Amino acid sequence: MRALVVDDSALARFRLKTFLNKVGFSDIVEASEGYEALRCLESSHDFDLAMVDWIMPGMQGLELITAIRSDHTLDSMKILLVTTESDPVEVQRALTEGADDYVAKPCSNDDLNQKLTSMGLGNTLQN
Amino acid sequence: MAFAPKCKDLPTAIEMIWKSMVGVPLTRSGMRTPSDDEEMWVSGVVQILGEWNGAIRLDCSWNLAQAVTARMYGIELAAVTPEVACDTVAELANVVAGMVKPLLGSRSHHSLPTVVRGRGYDFTVPHGRSFEQCGFDCETNYFSVTILQRAKANG
């Protein structure tokens, strides 16, 4: 399975990448903001999952989700918003724009795996 | 959809974040800030704007920033670069801001984090006052978190 991790924090990307490796994602691509993520998606359409932060320099998470969902070649890719944004109005906007689910930072591997499982992408956590 | 704050107060929020992200126990202690001594410190700051205005400031001894970074990446202390340690403090400040924002009980947005590193410094927000603060010992190091409230609109 392939995943795209979009976060401006190198630490956050490292933590998500480590988690994804543990649940069987074999190919994980990193982007530090939305425009970089879109370039990754233009060159390859076969990602199963995008984990997207909200507040980033350049293109922010909400704009990125809107851009992804306007490209129907990416319809099968799930989007999980992983963010410190907790305002229910804002989160609902992201879900309306096309995010499949949302998880608030800080989140454990179990929290993340639960979300992936509900999206049909979960797996047994490997140590 | 409704989101209740994950915690009741600032110290509990910090302890939850540290347990989840760093995995090292904390001991609550008195306040120490970069202006208090000549050691190297690093501070992550996130501004909050909206119905409530101010900033969340996380002040961390440089030794702790390096130690936490090494632990979270699973690397040797000597392999930690200043850039990576500053990124770690920025992300910790970002997560603290995200968790503290609902405690302030208002609709606000938070900024990208900014990082300051040096010795003997202090800073605030315009018309700012300390709204709440707490300090912690983490093994042999220390850090503190301060909520700065902007007292009135500024332009």
Side-chain angles (χ1 to χ4, degrees):
Chain A
M1 289 194 289
R2 300 191 75 206
L4 176 63
V5 175
V6 191
D7 198 305
D8 57 307
S9 164
L11 175 65
R13 294 197 304 273
F14 173 80
R15 286 167 61 82
L16 293 173
K17 193 173 174 180
T18 302
F19 159 75
L20 289 166
N21 275 319
K22 288 182 177 178
V23 291
F25 280 77
S26 55
D27 186 8
I28 302 155
V29 176
E30 298 178 41
S32 61
E33 52 87 29
Y35 292 113
E36 186 183 351
L38 284 181
R39 287 193 292 275
C40 294
L41 292 167
E42 281 167 9
S43 60
S44 176
H45 289 88
D46 59 348
F47 287 96
D48 302 286
L49 170 70
M51 293 178 128
V52 177
D53 185 22
W54 186 299
I55 301 163
M56 298 182 283
M59 181 187 281
Q60 298 208 9
L62 187 62
E63 295 171 79
L64 174 61
I65 291 166
T66 304
I68 290 171
R69 287 305 181 225
S70 68
D71 180 350
H72 293 296
T73 63
L74 298 169
D75 280 352
S76 63
M77 184 178 75
K78 302 291 186 187
I79 302 176
L80 178 62
L81 194 61
V82 185
T83 177
T84 56
E85 179 58 67
S86 58
D87 185 320
V89 175
E90 295 298 310
V91 171
Q92 188 56 54
R93 272 176 70 200
L95 295 174
T96 302
E97 287 296 322
D100 292 280
D101 211 336
Y102 154 88
V103 64
K105 295 179 183 178
C107 47
S108 67
N109 284 352
D110 286 337
D111 294 333
L112 290 167
N113 203 31
Q114 202 171 32
K115 295 293 183 182
L116 261 57
T117 299
S118 72
M119 294 191 292
L121 296 170
N123 203 343
T124 305
L125 272 165
Q126 304 295 319
N127 289 324
Chain B
M1 185 182 302
F3 294 94
K6 283 187 173 181
C7 55
K8 293 178 181 174
D9 55 43
L10 179 63
T12 306
I14 306 306
E15 287 164 348
M16 284 180 65
I17 291 165
W18 219 255
K19 182 179 178 186
S20 172
M21 295 183 71
V22 185
V24 175
L26 292 178
T27 306
R28 296 185 190 188
S29 71
M31 282 295 293
R32 288 177 70 178
T33 63
S35 60
D36 293 333
D37 60 33
E38 287 303 307
E39 287 186 46
M40 178 79 87
W41 285 72
V42 59
S43 301
V45 188
V46 175
Q47 293 201 53
I48 296 183
L49 305 165
E51 292 175 6
W52 193 97
N53 289 280
I56 307 298
R57 169 177 167 172
L58 187 153
D59 296 309
C60 184
S61 70
W62 183 241
N63 287 340
L64 179 58
Q66 291 177 298
V68 162
T69 303
R71 182 182 178 89
M72 293 173 82
Y73 279 94
I75 58 177
E76 295 292 324
L77 198 59
V80 175
T81 64
E83 184 181 7
V84 173
C86 286
D87 174 84
T88 297
V89 173
E91 180 64 1
L92 287 169
N94 186 40
V95 174
V96 170
M99 193 171 266
V100 165
K101 206 171 61 164
L103 298 178
L104 302 172
S106 61
R107 289 207 63 206
S108 304
H109 298 281
H110 61 274
S111 71
L112 288 165
T114 300
V115 177
V116 182
R117 187 167 71 108
R119 291 182 170 84
Y121 58 84
D122 194 14
F123 60 88
T124 186
V125 295
H127 310 291
R129 65 174 181 87
S130 175
F131 180 72
E132 192 172 350
Q133 56 186 11
C134 54
F136 296 92
D137 290 330
C138 179
E139 296 178 336
T140 59
N141 295 302
Y142 38 84
F143 72 98
S144 61
V145 175
T146 303
I147 302 176
L148 295 163
Q149 184 174 25
R150 188 185 286 247
K152 60 181 180 181
N154 187 35

